Amino acid sequence: MDVTADGLVARAARRLGSGRDRLIADVERCLRLEVPELWGDADIGRMTSKNIAEHINGALSDLAHGVDPKRIAPPAADVERARRLARHGTSVSALLRAHRLAQAIVFDRLLAELPALSDDTTQVAEAARWMIATGTRYVDRASEQGVVAFQEERDRRLQWRLSLVSEASMCVGTTLDIARTAEELADVVVEHFADSVTVDLLDSVLHGNDAPGKSPPVLRRVAQRSVTEDSPDPEIPPQGLHTYPEGSAPARALATGRPSRHHAQDAHPPDGSPAGPDRVHSTLVVPLRARGTTLGVARLERSRDPDLFDDEDLLLAQEIAARAAVAVDNARRYTHARAAALALQRSLLPRHTPRQSAVDVAWRYLPAGAQAGVGGDWYDVIPLSGARVALVVGDVVGHGVHAAATMGRLRTAVRTLADIDLPPDELLTHLDDVVLRLAAEASDGPYTDGEGDTGGEGDDGPGGDVGATCLYAVYDPVSRRCALARAGHVLPAVLRPDGRAEILDLPPGPPLGLGGLPFEAAEFDLPEGSLLALYTNGLIEARDHDVEAGLDRLRQALDHAGPSLEATCDRVLDAMLPDRPDDDVALLLARTRGLGERQVAAWELEADPAAVAGARADVARQLSAWGLEELDFTAGLVVSELVTNAVRYGRPPIRLRLIHDRSLLCEVSDSGTTTPHLRRARTFDEGGRGLFLVAQLADRWGTRTARYGKTVWAELNESADVAAALEFV
């Protein structure tokens, strides 16, 4: 009989092996009671049960056959179970506790068999010590192997989660577009750890309100993704509006701002067969919150992946959703600020073509790409006296609401200065003073919106310098001449009637806001049918070419201009610009007209009161030739007063001009510098009623100065009530 310690243990192992099923059941019962987390997931629970049987069967069999204890190895599946436990989020202490509990039960059963195999207590004690030492080394090896695999998996999972969060930070929120940001969130989630995802945002939030407008809140489906291409059509279409039932998980997430995790009861059927491939068995519901505001909710689902979402998955989803929510909120705020700036800018730009006969015009305004923000480009068409027209294009430095507001102020200033008929160079000088005053106002102190934020969307903030460029042109259809001056602006282009396109060479002028530097105007002959192109630098400047190359491309685009100005605008923009320009673009095209000799009549008058009667007679004959006899009396009164004032207070030469345009224009010019002023004459005053009478009879009247002298003008039409005007005077 074998009386060695290991032999005695081998005999005990053989005796115990006959009841190993009961031993396995006892160990499993104990572990289920003491370490229930090993059975938290059905798949892991089955693996644990199988692993217990493999440990006991293998160890008892090797001991019974006298295998060297150092060669008794734990089952290979032990490593995979440890990895699954790590992925499931089970603590390593549970793994070690299970080994010690199972060891204690098996040792107790083996120790109970030894006294029945030998009466020698010394031999039994030696066998017990050998068994305990051998068994402890086995458990230590199994525990060490499991802990190493567990920790490796935990480290790998941690690294994976960190890399996923990092990837989400880079991939989500790459643009300031709400829908694109939500789609990026869905793409990242589906690619890495969910089979399908839907992202819903509160419709009220998308329209600028931080709080839901209705109960239950109305949501818009902004993104949805699935790992399967053949998934059925979604119940809620993209961009569709819907509500969640009260008490549902998404509704609770929206109300409380807390995430939740849900598992289907039949995710792992009792027979061990997998759930259907399209049946959702695990769901995460995560609210999208940023800056204390709930913006929407995301639903992450698993149907094909057999693993259930665990607590770590929930934390990971929260982290990614929080980053996405900040990106969505940034995009929402930017979108609303950009829309406000764009609405402000469009409200400050002209909407309709003013009535005038000097030019045919067409214009375009294109805002820059989303990253740049709304700029301060503007254009304008301003009718002037004498059937002339002013064409304006300008560009305010910067982007955002402040730039748009500054643009509106400068456009108003240009219109005001144009009303007093200043030459282009003088107008820019006064406009330069306006910009200097705006800059001084902006530098008085930082602007805040009451909540600590400065400026607005893409805004440089009003606390900095105010700068702008401007091009001002005045075209006279009678002389067919155009006077232009620029303040730091790009050069205009003209397409001659003979089909020759060129860039007009204007004297350089400093940008507005520098102060103290002169502006200079230049005049050009523009025959009838010439096409004048005014634009901002965004049309010709780009990252892939310089200004000279842009001007060459503009000349080539104008060479193919057709009779339609609207089509020409579109053709120029298509040829010059990418889909999303880097800067705002304003384009103003004007095709010149001319007023011929049949529409203009002029006379040189003597500086003698007797010339008034002759002027009235000349006017009467001309009106008869034009078929405007009904204006004879009104025009006679106005011409009499204007010529009389020129004779009395002006200096020769005196010139009378009539222009038959949309209305009748009467102009009297002289070389004097004294500007007439309207006043109300007292009862016994002999004079002072002439200009007052002109103001009553004319639709508009005014004075424009020139380098040598002035012109007083009046615009008449058939609607003048002569009797009422005379009675009022």
Side-chain angles (χ1 to χ4, degrees), residues 37-38 41 44 47-48 77-96 145-161 307-313:
E37 51 264 44
L38 296 181
D41 177 81
I44 295 179
M47 289 184 66
T48 301
D78 212 29
V79 173
E80 178 59 27
R81 185 175 70 97
R83 290 173 178 162
R84 289 292 297 271
L85 289 172
R87 288 197 294 270
H88 190 262
T90 305
S91 66
V92 70
S93 61
L95 182 67
L96 297 176
Q145 177 179 279
V147 168
V148 169
F150 186 95
Q151 194 60 45
E152 287 177 350
E153 184 65 20
R154 292 287 293 175
D155 291 343
R156 189 191 66 81
R157 293 278 292 177
L158 178 60
Q159 188 65 32
W160 173 76
R161 293 178 190 277
D307 291 336
L308 300 176
F309 286 120
D310 55 35
D311 291 337
E312 292 190 4
D313 289 329

Side-chain angles (χ1 to χ4, degrees), residues 262-330:
H262 310 274
H263 302 315
Q265 295 297 326
D266 55 351
H268 301 284
D271 59 1
S273 60
D278 296 325
R279 182 175 181 81
V280 175
H281 61 78
S282 188
T283 304
L284 298 180
V285 179
V286 184
L288 301 177
R289 288 180 57 82
R291 300 180 178 94
T293 301
T294 300
L295 307 177
V297 64
R299 286 170 51 97
L300 290 67
E301 298 174 339
R302 280 182 178 173
S303 55
R304 294 178 177 258
D305 189 339
D307 291 336
L308 300 176
F309 286 120
D310 55 35
D311 291 337
E312 292 190 4
D313 289 329
L314 185 59
L315 291 174
L316 178 61
Q318 283 183 267
E319 179 68 21
I320 297 176
R323 294 172 184 265
V326 172
V328 168
D329 191 53
N330 290 339

Side-chain angles (χ1 to χ4, degrees), residues 362-364 564-574 587 589:
W363 56 65
R364 293 290 186 274
S564 170
L565 289 181
E566 297 292 335
T568 301
C569 276
D570 295 334
R571 186 178 298 110
V572 169
L573 294 180
D574 291 341
L587 174 64
L589 296 183

Side-chain angles (χ1 to χ4, degrees), residues 306-502:
D307 291 336
L308 300 176
F309 286 120
D310 55 35
D311 291 337
E312 292 190 4
D313 289 329
L314 185 59
L315 291 174
L316 178 61
Q318 283 183 267
E319 179 68 21
I320 297 176
R323 294 172 184 265
V326 172
V328 168
D329 191 53
N330 290 339
R332 176 179 69 100
R333 290 169 178 260
Y334 172 83
T335 299
H336 296 152
R338 175 179 168 81
L342 202 56
L344 172 63
Q345 186 181 50
R346 294 193 183 279
S347 69
L348 296 174
L349 292 174
R351 298 184 180 181
H352 307 287
T353 304
R355 297 184 59 190
Q356 47 82 34
S357 302
V359 293
D360 295 323
V361 295
W363 56 65
R364 293 290 186 274
Y365 169 75
L366 293 180
Q371 298 296 334
V374 176
D377 294 15
W378 91 91
Y379 54 86
D380 212 344
V381 179
I382 309 172
L384 302 176
S385 62
R388 299 169 306 137
V389 66
L391 305 173
V392 192
V393 169
D395 185 2
V396 174
V397 175
H399 295 85
V401 175
H402 173 57
T406 302
M407 175 271 291
R409 299 171 77 175
L410 293 185
R411 178 172 178 252
T412 301
V414 169
R415 279 189 162 266
T416 302
L417 296 170
D419 283 343
I420 58 179
D421 262 328
L422 292 176
D425 52 342
E426 293 185 24
L427 183 141
L428 291 181
T429 300
H430 287 284
L431 189 62
D432 188 45
D433 294 336
V434 172
V435 174
L436 288 173
R437 286 195 294 272
L438 292 178
E441 292 175 3
S443 63
D444 286 343
Y447 163 80
T448 63
D449 62 2
E451 297 180 357
D453 294 333
T454 58
E457 168 268 339
D459 207 342
D460 296 334
D465 294 335
V466 178
T469 65
C470 184
L471 175 64
Y472 186 81
V474 176
Y475 173 71
D476 188 344
V478 177
S479 65
R480 277 91 162 175
R481 291 186 65 80
C482 184
L484 306 95
R486 64 180 180 129
H489 205 78
V490 290
L491 294 171
V494 64
L495 178 66
R496 303 287 183 177
D498 59 4
R500 178 170 49 92
E502 61 177 307

Side-chain angles (χ1 to χ4, degrees), residues 24 47-60 73-78 138:
I24 292 172
M47 289 184 66
T48 301
S49 299
K50 184 178 179 181
N51 191 252
I52 292 172
E54 290 177 346
H55 269 287
I56 293 176
N57 288 331
L60 291 180
D78 212 29
Y138 171 82

